[in-house]
Amino acid sequence: MTDTLIIGGLELESRLFLGTGKFGSNRMIPAVVKACGTQVVTVALRRVDPKYQEENIVSFVPEGCVVMANTSGARTADEAVRIARLAKAGGLGGWIKIEVINDNRYLLPDNFETIKATEILAREGFTVLPYMSPDLAAAKRLVEAGAAAVMPLGSPIGSNRGLKCAELIRIIIEEIALPVIVDAGIGRPSQAAEAMEMGAAAVLVNTAVATARDPQAMARAFGQAVAAGRGAFLAGLGPVGRAASPSSPLTGFLDG
Amino acid sequence: MSFIQEMEEYRDLDVTAYHASLTDADIAAVLGRDRLSALDYLALLSPRAESHLEAMAQKAHRLTLQHFGRTVQLFTPIYLANYCVNRCRYCGFKAENKLHRKKLSPTELRAEAEVIAATGLKHVLILTGEHRKMSPVSYIADCAKLLEEYFTCIAVEVYPLTQEEYAQLAGVGVDSMTMFQEVYDPLVYADMHPSGPKSHYPFRLDAPERACRAGMRGVNIGALLGLKNWREEAFFTGLHADYLQRNFPDVEVSLSPPRMRPQLGGFAPVSGVRDKDLVQYILAFRLFMPRGGVTISTRETPDLRDRLVKLGATRMSAGSSTAVGGRATGEEETGQFEISDHRGVAEMAEMLYAQGYQPVYKDWQWL
């Protein structure tokens, strides 16, 4: 049986989503996409310029990839909704990553405004993937609001600190029926693998790939790590113990 | 609320004595921290820190990559009008200077816009001198509305406005403002601005705050380097940026470090600022505010600007002119100051690509 991720009616084989905001050249995006096998690429509408195709980031996303516009720059639900509508009107399809950030120091998302935007856009037929601070109550409200998945941050955007929010993400994975896609802060392929081993449905990576010395090679490594982590999750990871444990220390006497 | 109150806390700070007290171990300790205090920032601006420049640069480069990627946003200034009632000692547009005073008509502005738009740029900064009769807020707003036919992002660098006036501009699509305090030392400020509305120090200092409260998305601040000891001015500029970010967390705060250039009137810098000093300032600021933008104008030479790409610059002007009009007609008018880097947009893009950086032409659009 093939292990696929179903979101918004689409069946995805790759569980690595790729952000495009920080690359040293838009021209390297096709090679990076091929190297990691991603099928979902996010683009910030703020950067999309259909009138200047030579530098329009969307024109570098290979065919076959889902282009998921994000609402980067939105400080309120209202701005996120407007950006999403502009993206759709501009032909970017119906997938939208909601980013509502009114904190420029840490770039932490505003869960409250994100929930508001999700509700409006889900009602309008968008496939909504909201970026959020890992908080179970907020995740539940996003489910009620009609999100197609939830995207809790691993660490602040650009920090490359990995899964500082691991425990809260784990709780969300356990309690929420929707796909949980860890987004932001993943700095190394091992951290992506860790997220997948935890049971995340996918991860989204931008900074770690875009700013690597060799983005193509790093993308390949991330692709492999995500597959490895998912494979380990499906295989059933053994329990983790703090100390060595003999096979039957306390109850061995019962076996005669 | 005003940044003046925060500046008061440092009134008795003897910067020279503090700098003299620092050891190499102190600088190394600062460089090892993730979050810097104001005094840590001041330490990185010291003569002692100069011998740690490479370590500062490596860390600043990494932080810039993390937070901004390998991208530099390009924009260009459009001087709408050079009428001015102020008598700033150092400015080419000061009231007593004899030059052709001009203000762009809608037709002239449109012609300028077409030339700029053909380069692919989407971000422009519109400037005027301070003259509420010749370049009132209504004129600035009308120009912004016209330019929105060509550009997705309009910023203003004009005289200090009230909060209502900033809101008026924000309402027509202006999304950010630039305001150089010129010099944070009040005594030097008074000496440099002997008369005119600009002599009002607090009104100018609080302008970025009013813009933030009015809903502007971004503020860009700076001191004109050369009017006073650069280390102290860099310190207060950084503090001001930090103050704005703390109090207006949703605003994109950035800083410019403009060095004085030759201008009509011939005012010479009072205090020297070497290339090394400029680099130290930018690196220290990056370490103090990792997500703060750094704007580098064509005041700086091509060679230095090229180097600053990997030293923390996040935004650069291209195809610049500091004269009113002239791009469309080719006429030579007197600019506010002499520029050093005459490269156009295509050349700047080529330079960035050569360094492995993506020029960003569009980074926002009015919703």
Side-chain angles (χ1 to χ4, degrees), chain B residues 298 300 302 305 318-320 338-344 347:
Chain B
T298 53
E300 302 303 335
R305 293 222 298 166
S320 294
E338 285 178 24
I339 66 176
S340 298
D341 188 346
H342 296 267
R343 288 181 292 182
E347 288 170 279

Side-chain angles (χ1 to χ4, degrees), chain B residues 35-47:
Chain B
R35 300 242 206 106
L36 270 49
S37 68
L39 288 183
D40 287 339
Y41 173 53
L42 183 57
L44 293 183
L45 295 169
S46 66

Side-chain angles (χ1 to χ4, degrees), chain A residues 102-139:
Chain A
N102 42 45
D103 153 41
N104 203 48
R105 203 189 279 275
Y106 304 105
L107 296 184
L108 293 174
D110 182 328
N111 281 353
F112 179 68
E113 293 291 306
T114 298
I115 292 165
K116 278 169 40 179
T118 298
E119 202 164 35
I120 295 169
L121 293 173
R123 209 167 36 231
E124 290 180 12
F126 283 85
T127 300
V128 182
L129 284 76
Y131 170 63
M132 59 156 336
S133 267
D135 170 77
L136 180 61

Side-chain angles (χ1 to χ4, degrees), chain B residues 315-345:
Chain B
R315 194 188 295 145
M316 288 188 167
S317 48
S320 294
S321 167
T322 65
V324 178
R327 282 187 178 94
T329 62
E331 286 167 11
E332 289 205 16
E333 298 274 355
T334 305
Q336 186 183 21
F337 55 84
E338 285 178 24
I339 66 176
S340 298
D341 188 346
H342 296 267
R343 288 181 292 182
V345 174

